[in-house]
Protein backbone atom coordinates (compact mmCIF):
# COMPACT_ATOMS: atom_id res chain seq x y z
CA UNK A 1 0.00 0.00 0.00
CA UNK A 2 1.16 3.55 -0.67
CA UNK A 3 1.51 5.53 2.54
CA UNK A 4 0.95 9.28 2.31
CA UNK A 5 2.58 11.64 4.81
CA UNK A 6 2.08 15.39 5.16
CA UNK A 7 4.06 18.14 6.83
CA UNK A 8 3.57 20.13 8.88
CA UNK A 9 0.63 18.79 10.90
CA UNK A 10 -0.56 22.37 11.28
CA UNK A 11 0.58 25.88 10.47
CA UNK A 12 -0.51 29.42 11.21
CA UNK A 13 0.11 32.08 8.60
CA UNK A 14 -0.63 35.80 8.57
CA UNK A 15 -3.28 37.07 6.18
CA UNK A 16 -1.73 37.75 2.79
CA UNK A 17 1.30 35.57 3.46
CA UNK A 18 2.27 32.30 1.78
CA UNK A 19 1.30 28.90 3.14
CA UNK A 20 3.15 25.78 2.00
CA UNK A 21 2.06 22.20 2.67
CA UNK A 22 4.15 19.18 1.77
CA UNK A 23 3.00 15.68 0.87
CA UNK A 24 5.18 12.64 0.38
CA UNK A 25 4.20 9.23 -0.97
CA UNK A 26 6.00 6.03 0.02
CA UNK A 27 6.39 5.15 -3.67
CA UNK A 28 6.14 7.05 -6.90
CA UNK A 29 2.67 8.01 -8.14
CA UNK A 30 3.99 9.03 -11.55
CA UNK A 31 2.59 6.85 -14.32
CA UNK A 32 5.30 6.78 -16.96
CA UNK A 33 3.04 5.92 -19.91
CA UNK A 34 1.14 9.22 -19.68
CA UNK A 35 3.62 11.21 -17.55
CA UNK A 36 0.91 12.08 -15.04
CA UNK A 37 1.18 12.18 -11.27
CA UNK A 38 -1.89 10.58 -9.71
CA UNK A 39 -2.05 13.05 -6.84
CA UNK A 40 -4.86 15.36 -5.73
CA UNK A 41 -5.36 17.99 -3.04
CA UNK A 42 -8.59 18.67 -1.15
CA UNK A 43 -9.75 21.38 1.23
CA UNK A 44 -12.13 20.59 4.09
CA UNK A 45 -13.71 23.33 6.15
CA UNK A 46 -15.37 22.54 9.51
CA UNK A 47 -18.71 20.80 9.16
CA UNK A 48 -18.37 20.46 5.38
CA UNK A 49 -17.35 17.68 3.01
CA UNK A 50 -13.99 18.00 1.26
CA UNK A 51 -13.61 20.01 -1.92
CA UNK A 52 -11.27 19.21 -4.81
CA UNK A 53 -8.60 21.87 -5.34
CA UNK A 54 -5.89 20.27 -7.49
CA UNK A 55 -5.61 17.05 -9.53
CA UNK A 56 -2.80 15.51 -11.59
CA UNK A 57 -0.59 17.19 -8.95
CA UNK A 58 -0.78 20.63 -10.56
CA UNK A 59 -4.07 21.10 -12.44
CA UNK A 60 -6.38 23.50 -10.68
CA UNK A 61 -10.04 22.49 -10.52
CA UNK A 62 -12.47 24.82 -12.24
CA UNK A 63 -13.52 27.67 -9.95
CA UNK A 64 -10.60 27.30 -7.55
CA UNK A 65 -8.83 30.64 -6.95
CA UNK A 66 -5.43 30.93 -8.60
CA UNK A 67 -3.74 31.58 -5.27
CA UNK A 68 -3.86 27.79 -4.89
CA UNK A 69 -1.17 25.90 -6.80
CA UNK A 70 0.26 22.41 -6.77
CA UNK A 71 3.70 21.20 -7.73
CA UNK A 72 5.98 18.20 -7.50
CA UNK A 73 6.47 14.83 -9.13
CA UNK A 74 7.19 11.24 -8.25
CA UNK A 75 7.03 11.08 -4.46
CA UNK A 76 7.24 14.71 -3.31
CA UNK A 77 4.48 17.26 -3.73
CA UNK A 78 3.58 20.72 -2.49
CA UNK A 79 0.38 22.72 -2.17
CA UNK A 80 0.97 26.46 -2.02
CA UNK A 81 -1.49 29.17 -1.04
CA UNK A 82 0.24 32.28 -2.33
CA UNK A 83 -1.67 34.83 -0.29
CA UNK A 84 -3.68 33.39 2.56
CA UNK A 85 -7.25 34.63 2.92
CA UNK A 86 -9.54 34.21 5.93
CA UNK A 87 -11.72 31.77 3.99
CA UNK A 88 -8.74 29.44 3.47
CA UNK A 89 -8.80 28.29 7.10
CA UNK A 90 -9.32 24.56 6.69
CA UNK A 91 -7.68 21.16 6.75
CA UNK A 92 -5.90 20.16 3.55
CA UNK A 93 -5.45 16.57 2.41
CA UNK A 94 -3.38 14.99 -0.33
CA UNK A 95 -4.66 11.82 -2.02
CA UNK A 96 -3.02 9.28 -4.30
CA UNK A 97 -5.15 7.55 -6.91
CA UNK A 98 -2.26 5.72 -8.56
CA UNK A 99 -2.92 2.35 -6.98
CA UNK A 100 -5.51 0.68 -4.79
CA UNK A 101 -5.99 1.17 -1.91
CA UNK A 102 -6.31 4.86 -2.82
CA UNK A 103 -4.90 6.52 0.27
CA UNK A 104 -5.13 9.98 1.82
CA UNK A 105 -2.56 11.89 3.79
CA UNK A 106 -3.32 12.64 7.46
CA UNK A 107 -4.16 16.27 6.77
CA UNK A 108 -2.62 19.67 7.51
CA UNK A 109 -4.58 22.26 9.45
CA UNK A 110 -4.14 25.85 8.30
CA UNK A 111 -5.02 28.75 10.62
CA UNK A 112 -4.56 32.49 10.69
CA UNK A 113 -1.68 33.82 12.78
CA UNK B 1 -26.15 20.44 -10.58
CA UNK B 2 -24.46 17.35 -9.17
CA UNK B 3 -26.21 15.94 -6.13
CA UNK B 4 -25.23 12.96 -3.99
CA UNK B 5 -27.58 12.06 -1.17
CA UNK B 6 -26.44 9.41 1.28
CA UNK B 7 -28.85 7.51 3.50
CA UNK B 8 -28.97 4.42 5.69
CA UNK B 9 -26.69 5.46 8.51
CA UNK B 10 -27.55 5.06 12.16
CA UNK B 11 -26.74 3.28 15.40
CA UNK B 12 -25.87 -0.41 15.07
CA UNK B 13 -24.49 -2.96 17.49
CA UNK B 14 -21.07 -4.53 16.94
CA UNK B 15 -21.32 -7.51 14.62
CA UNK B 16 -24.39 -6.09 12.93
CA UNK B 17 -25.05 -5.15 9.31
CA UNK B 18 -26.10 -1.96 7.60
CA UNK B 19 -26.62 -0.93 3.99
CA UNK B 20 -25.83 2.59 2.90
CA UNK B 21 -27.31 4.11 -0.24
CA UNK B 22 -26.27 7.09 -2.31
CA UNK B 23 -28.81 8.60 -4.71
CA UNK B 24 -27.13 10.54 -7.50
CA UNK B 25 -28.46 13.17 -9.87
CA UNK B 26 -27.25 15.92 -12.15
CA UNK B 27 -24.80 13.84 -14.17
CA UNK B 28 -24.62 10.66 -16.27
CA UNK B 29 -24.29 8.23 -13.39
CA UNK B 30 -23.03 5.24 -15.38
CA UNK B 31 -20.17 7.29 -16.78
CA UNK B 32 -18.40 7.87 -13.48
CA UNK B 33 -16.63 5.87 -10.83
CA UNK B 34 -17.96 6.43 -7.32
CA UNK B 35 -16.13 6.09 -4.01
CA UNK B 36 -17.04 5.65 -0.39
CA UNK B 37 -14.77 7.63 1.92
CA UNK B 38 -15.21 7.76 5.68
CA UNK B 39 -14.17 10.11 8.43
CA UNK B 40 -14.17 9.08 12.08
CA UNK B 41 -15.15 11.83 14.52
CA UNK B 42 -12.37 14.40 14.72
CA UNK B 43 -10.11 12.36 12.42
CA UNK B 44 -8.88 12.46 8.85
CA UNK B 45 -10.23 10.98 5.65
CA UNK B 46 -10.04 7.22 5.01
CA UNK B 47 -10.79 5.81 1.56
CA UNK B 48 -13.08 2.77 1.89
CA UNK B 49 -14.09 1.49 -1.54
CA UNK B 50 -14.63 2.40 -5.17
CA UNK B 51 -16.55 1.06 -8.15
CA UNK B 52 -15.95 1.97 -11.77
CA UNK B 53 -18.61 3.45 -13.98
CA UNK B 54 -18.83 0.99 -16.81
CA UNK B 55 -17.56 -2.47 -15.97
CA UNK B 56 -18.22 -2.11 -12.22
CA UNK B 57 -14.72 -3.10 -11.20
CA UNK B 58 -14.45 -2.84 -7.42
CA UNK B 59 -11.70 -1.94 -4.98
CA UNK B 60 -11.52 -2.02 -1.19
CA UNK B 61 -9.39 -0.81 1.68
CA UNK B 62 -7.69 -3.61 3.59
CA UNK B 63 -9.64 -2.59 6.72
CA UNK B 64 -13.00 -3.46 5.13
CA UNK B 65 -12.13 -6.17 2.61
CA UNK B 66 -14.30 -9.23 3.12
CA UNK B 67 -16.80 -7.32 5.27
CA UNK B 68 -18.04 -4.52 2.98
CA UNK B 69 -19.44 -4.82 -0.54
CA UNK B 70 -19.86 -1.91 -2.93
CA UNK B 71 -22.37 -2.08 -5.76
CA UNK B 72 -24.29 0.19 -8.08
CA UNK B 73 -27.58 0.16 -9.96
CA UNK B 74 -27.11 2.38 -12.99
CA UNK B 75 -30.83 2.11 -13.83
CA UNK B 76 -31.65 3.74 -10.49
CA UNK B 77 -28.64 6.09 -10.34
CA UNK B 78 -27.86 4.64 -6.94
CA UNK B 79 -24.72 3.42 -5.19
CA UNK B 80 -24.72 1.02 -2.27
CA UNK B 81 -22.38 -0.10 0.48
CA UNK B 82 -23.32 -3.30 2.28
CA UNK B 83 -21.50 -3.35 5.60
CA UNK B 84 -21.34 -6.60 7.58
CA UNK B 85 -19.58 -7.64 10.79
CA UNK B 86 -19.42 -4.03 11.89
CA UNK B 87 -16.87 -2.97 14.48
CA UNK B 88 -16.53 0.03 16.75
CA UNK B 89 -13.71 1.31 14.55
CA UNK B 90 -16.14 1.54 11.61
CA UNK B 91 -17.86 4.44 13.37
CA UNK B 92 -17.60 7.42 11.02
CA UNK B 93 -19.34 9.74 8.62
CA UNK B 94 -19.51 7.91 5.29
CA UNK B 95 -19.25 10.09 2.20
CA UNK B 96 -20.37 9.12 -1.26
CA UNK B 97 -17.88 10.74 -3.64
CA UNK B 98 -18.04 11.04 -7.43
CA UNK B 99 -14.80 10.58 -9.33
CA UNK B 100 -13.63 12.87 -12.10
CA UNK B 101 -13.85 10.01 -14.61
CA UNK B 102 -15.16 6.53 -15.27
CA UNK B 103 -12.08 4.81 -13.93
CA UNK B 104 -11.45 4.39 -10.21
CA UNK B 105 -7.96 5.73 -10.92
CA UNK B 106 -9.36 9.24 -10.76
CA UNK B 107 -9.45 12.10 -8.32
CA UNK B 108 -12.70 12.85 -6.50
CA UNK B 109 -14.65 15.68 -8.02
CA UNK B 110 -17.65 15.95 -5.75
CA UNK B 111 -18.66 14.73 -2.28
CA UNK B 112 -22.05 14.24 -0.68
CA UNK B 113 -22.87 15.57 2.77
CA UNK B 114 -22.31 12.17 4.38
CA UNK B 115 -24.24 9.81 6.63
CA UNK B 116 -23.17 8.94 10.17
CA UNK B 117 -22.67 5.30 11.16
CA UNK B 118 -22.23 4.61 14.85
CA UNK B 119 -21.25 1.12 15.95
CA UNK B 120 -21.86 0.73 19.65
CA UNK B 121 -23.59 -1.52 22.14
Amino acid sequence: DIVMTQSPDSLAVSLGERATINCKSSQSVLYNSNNKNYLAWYQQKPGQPPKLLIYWASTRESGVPDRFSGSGSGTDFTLTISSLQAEDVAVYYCHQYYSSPFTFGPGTKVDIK
Amino acid sequence: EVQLLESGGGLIQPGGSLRLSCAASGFTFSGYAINWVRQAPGKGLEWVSAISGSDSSTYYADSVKGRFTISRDNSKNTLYLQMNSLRAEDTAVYYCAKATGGSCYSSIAYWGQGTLVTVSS
Side-chain angles (χ1 to χ4, degrees):
Chain A
D1 298 2
I2 297 178
V3 177
M4 307 299 290
T5 57
Q6 289 183 230
S7 62
D9 294 335
S10 64
L11 74 161
V13 175
S14 300
L15 289 173
E17 296 300 306
R18 179 184 300 261
T20 301
I21 300 168
N22 300 301
C23 172
K24 189 174 183 68
S25 56
S26 61
Q27 61 191 77
S28 176
V29 298
L30 173 63
Y31 191 38
N32 291 327
S33 66
N34 60 11
N35 200 36
K36 289 187 174 184
N37 288 282
Y38 284 55
L39 189 284
W41 289 96
Y42 304 89
Q43 174 193 65
Q44 186 178 31
K45 297 181 180 180
Q48 296 184 17
K51 172 189 172 184
L52 177 64
L53 297 176
I54 303 284
Y55 56 98
W56 301 133
S58 61
T59 302
R60 196 179 304 113
E61 172 72 336
S62 175
V64 173
D66 60 7
R67 63 180 179 272
F68 291 92
S69 64
S71 63
S73 184
T75 61
D76 293 278
F77 301 91
T78 300
L79 175 70
T80 301
I81 310 172
S82 60
S83 176
L84 191 76
Q85 304 300 304
E87 60 265 32
D88 301 334
V89 170
V91 179
Y92 294 83
Y93 297 92
C94 60
H95 166 225
Q96 68 81 16
Y97 46 99
Y98 178 86
S99 71
S100 178
F102 306 113
T103 43
F104 289 89
T108 295
K109 185 176 182 181
V110 174
D111 273 320
I112 304 295
K113 185 185 289 182
Chain B
E1 179 192 2
V2 172
Q3 291 196 22
L4 299 169
L5 184 60
E6 302 95 337
S7 61
L11 176 63
I12 186 76
Q13 290 190 341
S17 297
L18 211 55
R19 188 175 85 155
L20 305 184
S21 299
C22 172
S25 61
F27 63 101
T28 304
F29 184 70
S30 60
Y32 292 88
I34 311 287
N35 298 261
W36 287 102
V37 178
R38 68 186 181 184
Q39 187 167 36
K43 302 297 184 183
L45 302 172
E46 180 187 11
W47 177 82
V48 172
S49 184
I51 185 167
S52 66
S54 52
D55 63 1
S56 292
S57 298
T58 59
Y59 304 85
Y60 296 94
D62 293 342
S63 59
V64 307
K65 199 174 296 182
R67 300 188 299 124
F68 290 11
T69 302
I70 191 172
S71 62
R72 64 192 297 159
D73 186 337
N74 289 340
S75 68
K76 295 182 178 179
N77 288 357
T78 302
L79 175 78
Y80 303 99
L81 185 68
Q82 178 67 43
M83 305 186 295
N84 299 329
S85 302
L86 282 161
R87 307 166 179 165
E89 54 264 36
D90 296 318
T91 294
V93 172
Y94 284 72
Y95 292 104
C96 170
K98 170 187 169 290
T100 52
S103 164
C104 292
Y105 298 86
S106 302
S107 54
I108 296 174
Y110 189 82
W111 305 63
Q113 292 299 310
T115 186
L116 176 63
V117 173
T118 303
V119 184
S120 175
S121 54

